[in-house]
Amino acid sequence: MAGRAQHSGPAARGAPGLLPPLLLLLCAAALIPAGVGQNLVTEDVTVVEGDVATISCRVKNSDDSVIQLLNPNRQTIYFRDFRPLKDSRFQLVNFSNSELRVSLTNVSISDEGRYFCQLYTDPPQEIYTTITVLVPPRNLVIDIQKEIAVEGEEIELNCTAMASRPATTIRWFKGNKELTGKSEVEQWSDMYTVTSQLLLKVAREDDGVPVICLVDHPAVKDLQTQRYLEVMYKPQVRVSQNYPVQGLTREGEPLELTCAAFGKPQPTDMRWLRVDDEMPQHVVVSGSNLLISNLNKTDNGTYRCEASNAVGKSHADYMLFVYDTTATTEPAAHGFTQLPNSAEELDAGDRSGAPVLLNASAEALPTVQLSNASLAIPPDSRAGEEGAIRSVDHAVVGGVVAVVVFAMLCLLIILGRYFARHKGTYFTHEAKGADDAADADTAIINAEGGQNNSEEKKEYFI
């Protein structure tokens, strides 16, 4: 009995005025024979700060032994259905011979630790359950190095999650695309502060796009904050042909072009000019419009619309070719030329099979959809076939001519070598003395006289 009284000492210290009833209960428990095959079970509890934690002490094969719950300081919270501890946050949820279930409301970090379930048998049984308290981040803030950025700049963003337990994991998103940041963790007492840094190179497409800082933490779901990017970029320029809507630009007909420019800030300066030449005097420029009322072939050339803002200057070109009034087709080179924004867009255009028009300008412009119907006019297929046939005929004729010329050259070489070998003077004995003779008869006589000294005729070939 004395041993049982000492075991109940924590309960007595927790509530001094209730000592006699507790002693009676302990004495009664001491008289209960030891249970056979009893098992005391419980589970660990994880709870978010401020929520409710429920502790359950259960007995398998119960024989009505006394169940007691103690806090981490081994103070008795409940003895059967009686609460000696003066803490109203603990409430009895269920009490029976096989279970003691207690709830703890408004849980805080100080409530974390081991709680003991005791069963008064002989010998006594004891197990413990652990309460783990999770603390969500108290603040989630994004700090941007520059509120307004210029396209091509690299900006720094920092997202901070303060005072959480355990440490949070921070993820970055630009729109729907996840990005990679660099995180640092600082510990203050039992709390953790996490800061993640993101370096982002912005483009004009990023203007108005949200950058999202998302927190992964077991105590909270879908905790995030975002900031919208503000990016300034140089103008995007587009030239469209208002008239003629379709067909060719022929002599005597009018031409009307319109220039549209978009940028951030909005372009304030827009002008038309003629590349590598002066603007014809009969050309009328009114704001963003260019009008030529009566086209002639002296108007041929490249007409450029330039626009600028605080960030930079861009342009778009229109190549004009004036045709005869009888013309029915136009070459593919006629129309607009613009540059892509970057090499990436050029590569993308190559991969997708979409046409990319190039400009001789060194400035890069976005590829835009133009309304010039003349660009969509296909060349006459019959003309293409006839051109192919003509090119084949020219190739055959050229080959035959080359063979004939080569054969004639070979023949001339052979004849030249033959005549070179048979060239020279033919000498006979009859001709000797002819050079010194006064007449033909004397020459013959001299020649005959010379033959007496000759044994045979000789012929010489040089």
Side-chain angles (χ1 to χ4, degrees):
M1 291 293 293
R4 296 295 182 183
Q6 290 177 357
H7 187 76
S8 62
R13 290 191 299 272
L18 300 176
L19 182 58
L22 290 178
L23 289 174
L24 293 175
L25 289 173
L26 289 175
C27 291
L31 296 176
I32 299 174
V36 178
Q38 294 186 116
N39 293 312
L40 190 61
V41 294
T42 187
E43 293 89 19
D44 291 337
V45 179
T46 299
V47 62
V48 178
E49 184 182 37
D51 288 354
V52 178
T54 301
I55 306 171
S56 177
C57 300
R58 300 188 303 278
V59 180
K60 295 182 179 179
N61 304 322
S62 173
D63 59 357
D64 298 333
S65 298
V66 177
I67 304 174
Q68 181 179 225
L69 177 64
L70 293 84
N71 66 12
N73 296 325
R74 304 196 72 89
Q75 295 173 323
T76 301
I77 300 173
Y78 268 90
F79 185 86
R80 290 183 178 271
D81 57 350
F82 179 72
R83 189 187 70 199
L85 190 64
K86 302 300 182 181
D87 190 341
S88 61
R89 294 183 305 144
F90 290 98
Q91 296 293 324
L92 185 64
V93 178
N94 182 47
F95 170 72
S96 66
N97 292 334
S98 61
E99 183 183 34
L100 174 62
R101 188 186 305 168
V102 178
S103 66
L104 172 61
T105 60
N106 196 21
V107 177
S108 65
I109 291 293
S110 60
D111 297 321
E112 195 172 72
R114 291 181 177 182
Y115 288 76
F116 300 91
C117 295
Q118 290 184 345
L119 182 64
Y120 281 89
T121 58
D122 189 15
Q125 298 183 31
E126 179 182 288
I127 61 173
Y128 65 86
T129 178
T130 301
I131 292 183
T132 302
V133 180
L134 305 177
V135 181
R138 304 198 185 278
N139 287 310
L140 189 62
V141 180
I142 293 181
D143 178 47
I144 299 183
Q145 182 185 25
K146 294 184 68 174
E147 294 291 337
I148 301 177
V150 178
E151 63 174 339
E153 282 188 339
E154 186 177 67
I155 62 174
E156 178 183 326
L157 299 93
N158 291 282
C159 182
T160 303
M162 301 176 61
S164 65
R165 184 177 181 185
T168 61
T169 299
I170 295 179
R171 300 168 62 191
W172 288 97
F173 291 87
K174 185 181 73 173
N176 296 324
K177 181 181 179 181
E178 185 167 1
L179 306 176
T180 302
K182 181 180 180 181
S183 296
E184 293 183 357
V185 181
E186 295 183 6
Q187 182 175 359
W188 300 90
S189 184
D190 294 333
M191 300 295 182
Y192 298 90
T193 296
V194 180
T195 301
S196 181
Q197 181 188 71
L198 176 67
L199 297 177
L200 180 63
K201 187 174 183 179
V202 295
R204 66 181 64 195
E205 294 81 8
D206 297 327
D207 184 49
V209 175
V211 175
I212 302 169
C213 174
L214 177 68
V215 164
D216 281 340
H217 194 273
V220 65
K221 293 182 179 180
D222 300 327
L223 178 61
Q224 64 182 36
T225 185
Q226 64 183 20
R227 294 285 297 271
Y228 288 89
L229 296 173
E230 187 170 356
V231 182
M232 299 176 64
Y233 52 91
K234 63 184 180 179
Q236 297 173 293
V237 184
R238 181 179 62 189
V239 173
S240 58
Q241 179 177 305
N242 298 335
Y243 189 86
V245 178
Q246 291 183 349
L248 306 178
T249 49
R250 298 185 178 91
E251 284 185 296
E253 295 185 353
L255 171 69
E256 183 179 358
L257 304 176
T258 297
C259 179
F262 309 92
K264 190 170 183 179
Q266 187 63 22
T268 56
D269 184 20
M270 185 182 302
R271 68 190 186 101
W272 283 95
L273 56 92
R274 187 177 182 184
V275 179
D276 297 331
D277 204 346
E278 293 183 357
M279 187 74 77
Q281 293 183 354
H282 59 278
V283 173
V284 178
V285 176
S286 177
S288 61
N289 295 333
L290 183 146
L291 176 64
I292 304 177
S293 58
N294 189 2
L295 288 173
N296 59 71
K297 292 194 174 182
T298 61
D299 298 328
N300 288 342
T302 300
Y303 294 82
R304 173 172 297 175
C305 175
E306 289 185 347
S308 61
N309 60 9
V311 180
K313 180 171 66 175
S314 301
H315 69 261
D317 290 345
Y318 177 85
M319 291 187 299
L320 173 62
F321 185 86
V322 180
Y323 298 90
D324 295 332
T325 55
T326 58
T328 58
T329 59
E330 65 176 311
H334 175 72
F336 307 94
T337 59
Q338 284 187 312
L339 281 174
N341 270 331
S342 60
E344 289 78 5
E345 289 189 10
L346 181 59
D347 293 340
D350 292 338
R351 292 192 296 270
S352 64
V356 177
L357 300 179
L358 295 182
N359 186 355
S361 168
E363 298 184 52
L365 296 175
T367 302
V368 297
Q369 185 67 30
L370 301 174
S371 60
N372 182 24
S374 65
L375 292 177
I377 298 177
D380 192 342
S381 60
R382 291 173 298 175
E385 293 175 0
E386 293 173 359
I389 294 173
R390 285 197 300 270
S391 63
V392 173
D393 293 341
H394 292 164
V396 173
V397 172
V400 172
V401 171
V403 172
V404 172
V405 170
F406 180 75
M408 292 179 66
L409 289 175
C410 294
L411 181 60
L412 291 175
I413 293 172
I414 294 172
L415 291 175
R417 290 179 59 86
Y418 175 79
F419 286 118
R421 294 185 59 181
H422 294 75
K423 182 180 179 181
T425 303
Y426 184 75
F427 293 99
T428 61
H429 290 286
E430 288 78 6
K432 291 182 178 180
D435 293 338
D436 299 330
D439 50 33
D441 295 333
T442 305
I444 294 173
I445 295 172
N446 293 338
E448 290 177 354
Q451 291 179 0
N452 295 329
N453 300 327
S454 176
E455 297 177 358
E456 60 180 351
K457 294 183 178 180
K458 294 183 181 181
E459 294 179 355
Y460 300 89
F461 293 95
I462 299 175

